[in-house]
Amino acid sequence: QVQLVESGGGSVQAGGSLTLSCVVSGIRFGTYCMGWFRQIPGEGVALIRQDGPTTYAESVEGRFTISRDNAKNTVYLQMNNLKSEDTHTYYCVAANSRCSLGGDGLSYWGQGTQVNVSS
C-alpha cells in the first residue's frame, strides 16, 4: 500500500517560516520524482528529481526550498518569507514518468497539510 503522509502545516504570520515533511512508503522512493502541489493536478510549487535537480514555480522562487532524504524516504519543503497568498493545502506528490509542475505525470499524492498565512 502506497502512503504519502504530510506534516508540518499550521498558521503563521506573513514573513514567517514553516517546514513541511512528507514520509513515503510502499514505493521505491529513490526512483520517483517528488514534489509539492497546491492543487492536483495543475498547481505545482516545487519538484525534485531522482538525481537532485529542482524546479520551482515562479511565485515561490527564492523563498521555498525543496529537498529529499532518500535514506529516510522523506521529502521536505522549507518555506520562508511566507505571504498571505501562500495560504493553501499543500500536497506531497510522487511521479515516476513525467516530472512537471503541471502535474500530468503524477502517480501518487497524500491527503495534504494546511498552511495559513495571516497578514
Side-chain angles (χ1 to χ4, degrees):
Q1 182 181 1
V2 179
Q3 287 189 309
L4 288 77
V5 181
E6 304 98 334
S7 62
S11 297
V12 64
Q13 289 190 327
S17 298
L18 284 172
T19 300
L20 307 183
S21 300
C22 173
V23 179
V24 181
S25 60
I27 60 173
R28 291 180 61 193
F29 181 79
T31 67
Y32 279 76
C33 168
M34 299 300 301
W36 292 91
F37 274 56
R38 289 173 173 169
Q39 183 175 330
I40 296 176
E43 192 174 352
V45 172
L47 296 168
I48 183 165
R49 288 162 179 75
Q50 294 87 329
D51 54 348
T54 57
T55 303
Y56 297 95
E58 185 175 340
S59 62
V60 306
E61 184 82 54
R63 300 189 297 122
F64 289 12
T65 302
I66 188 171
S67 61
R68 64 191 296 162
D69 185 335
N70 288 346
K72 295 182 178 180
N73 284 9
T74 302
V75 60
Y76 306 96
L77 186 67
Q78 173 69 44
M79 304 186 293
N80 297 327
N81 190 21
L82 282 160
K83 304 176 180 180
S84 57
E85 52 264 42
D86 295 321
T87 295
H88 282 280
T89 300
Y90 286 75
Y91 299 91
C92 175
V93 304
N96 69 347
S97 55
R98 182 172 171 77
C99 184
S100 80
L101 292 175
D104 51 323
L106 298 183
S107 302
Y108 306 101
W109 49 90
Q111 293 297 309
T113 186
Q114 181 67 34
V115 172
N116 295 313
V117 184
S118 58
S119 57

